[in-house]
Amino acid sequence: MATNLLNRGAFIVLEGLDRSGKTTLAYLLVKELEQRQIPVEFMRFPDRSKDNVIGDTLNKYLSSGIELNPETSHMLFTTQRFAVKDQMLQKLMEGKVLIVDRYAHSGIAYSVAKGLSLEWCKAKESGLLRPDIVLYLDLLPSEGLKRGNYGEERFETVQFQEKVHNAYDQLLDDSWKILSAHDTPETLVRSALSNILRACELNAHKPVELLYQSGRLDEKSPLKERQPFRTNVLSSQ
Ligand code: NYM
Ligand code: MG
């Protein structure tokens, strides 16, 4: 067995409509894992940091300050994910569990909801790291409306969220676990945690796979020979 595959961390993504409770659940899960002395790191997409040009642009776009066409916004969101791909792999190989609030699936679902084709969107995300589990917080679009500060941001309308919901449906695969966003935080944490602990065990010695692409990252991957890509322009980390 390749030595670099000893006890890698699990790659966990939280997905769902706006106001489905992903961020709250992510924080609770990080706390639970830390209490169990399991190394864990939280990340979120988009990164809205004002000190990098893409983060600042996406922040303005989401708060409706500027307009971007669907292809442009899609590629800016996607670029942020590719910019930290090497860093994410490195953390997993160091044995850290990654809890990631939104990922490629948000990118695809929101762009398909705007009218872009599923194939085009998936192709843009192809080659990113594939999550071991996608925990999908299932929320009825009409219920999101009742949650705090709804409607402040672009995309926060019931009609648009219905389309996002339908687009997410088309992405379901065997890595997805559906959780009801209407459950209590305690129930959600219990169920998410048992899925995460199982994923840690099952994947500890498995290579990280690539999203929407056959092939795996193994020892010979060029990714492992390259220096991690760092720039203040694309990534604030
Ligand atoms: N969003 C998020 C996209 O449209 N494409 C993406 O690739 C990602 C990661 O940004 N309404 C949208 C979904 C959300 C918004 O996310 C910001 P949040 O988690 O609501 O702050
Ligand atoms: Mg939101």
Side-chain angles (χ1 to χ4, degrees):
M1 169 140 341
T3 49
N4 65 318
L5 295 179
L6 280 179
N7 293 317
R8 75 160 169 92
F11 177 15
I12 314 296
V13 165
L14 296 176
E15 284 287 359
L17 300 182
D18 287 287
R19 311 289 149 178
S20 55
K22 298 175 298 301
T23 311
T24 308
L25 181 60
Y27 283 124
L28 293 171
L29 290 171
V30 167
K31 216 169 79 186
E32 291 284 338
L33 292 168
E34 280 172 349
Q35 276 169 5
R36 288 169 172 73
Q37 252 94 83
I38 298 172
V40 56
E41 229 171 277
F42 170 75
M43 298 178 74
R44 72 182 304 172
F45 294 103
D47 171 0
R48 302 186 188 218
S49 314
K50 296 207 168 72
D51 59 2
N52 76 68
V53 71
I54 294 183
D56 189 42
T57 306
L58 286 175
N59 193 36
K60 287 185 181 132
Y61 169 68
L62 289 169
S63 52
S64 297
I66 56 165
E67 294 302 322
L68 296 170
N69 69 26
E71 289 88 350
T72 307
S73 59
H74 188 101
M75 288 190 279
L76 292 182
F77 282 112
T78 305
T79 299
Q80 284 201 323
R81 292 185 274 277
F82 276 103
V84 293
K85 174 179 170 180
D86 294 14
Q87 288 161 35
M88 291 172 77
L89 180 64
Q90 201 168 321
K91 289 178 204 289
L92 291 169
M93 290 311 183
E94 285 165 6
K96 291 182 183 148
V97 173
L98 289 185
I99 304 282
V100 182
D101 183 356
R102 293 195 186 276
Y103 191 56
H105 316 84
S106 283
I108 300 167
Y110 282 76
S111 289
V112 166
K114 290 179 208 165
L116 295 183
S117 83
L118 183 66
E119 291 66 34
W120 187 92
C121 297
K122 276 178 118 170
K124 295 291 169 289
E125 308 297 322
S126 164
L128 285 169
L129 305 183
R130 181 180 193 259
D132 296 306
I133 313 185
V134 176
L135 293 170
Y136 181 73
L137 282 173
D138 199 15
L139 176 76
L140 284 172
S142 55
E143 289 295 313
L145 185 67
K146 301 176 189 158
R147 299 189 171 189
N149 305 324
Y150 194 86
E152 277 183 0
E153 275 213 337
R154 192 185 287 271
F155 309 140
E156 287 182 350
T157 66
V158 175
Q159 293 89 321
F160 191 85
Q161 298 285 319
E162 292 273 8
K163 291 185 187 163
V164 178
H165 195 253
N166 293 338
Y168 267 128
D169 257 2
Q170 300 178 60
L171 298 177
L172 233 114
D173 65 26
D174 60 3
S175 63
W176 284 50
K177 308 282 171 215
I178 315 291
L179 305 176
S180 168
H182 304 278
D183 278 343
T184 62
E186 294 74 27
T187 306
L188 283 169
V189 167
R190 204 173 331 113
S191 158
L193 199 60
S194 80
N195 278 297
I196 292 171
L197 295 176
R198 198 169 327 122
C200 288
E201 238 179 84
L202 283 175
N203 296 292
H205 304 290
K206 285 191 189 159
V208 178
E209 295 187 14
L210 297 175
L211 191 62
Y212 307 133
Q213 197 171 298
S214 55
R216 295 175 153 179
L217 284 170
D218 61 23
E219 273 188 307
K220 293 194 189 80
S221 163
L223 248 183
K224 305 196 70 49
E225 277 137 40
R226 259 183 10 226
Q227 283 300 311
F229 178 63
R230 284 177 210 286
T231 156
N232 291 334
V233 176
L234 296 178
S235 158
S236 60
Q237 294 180 22

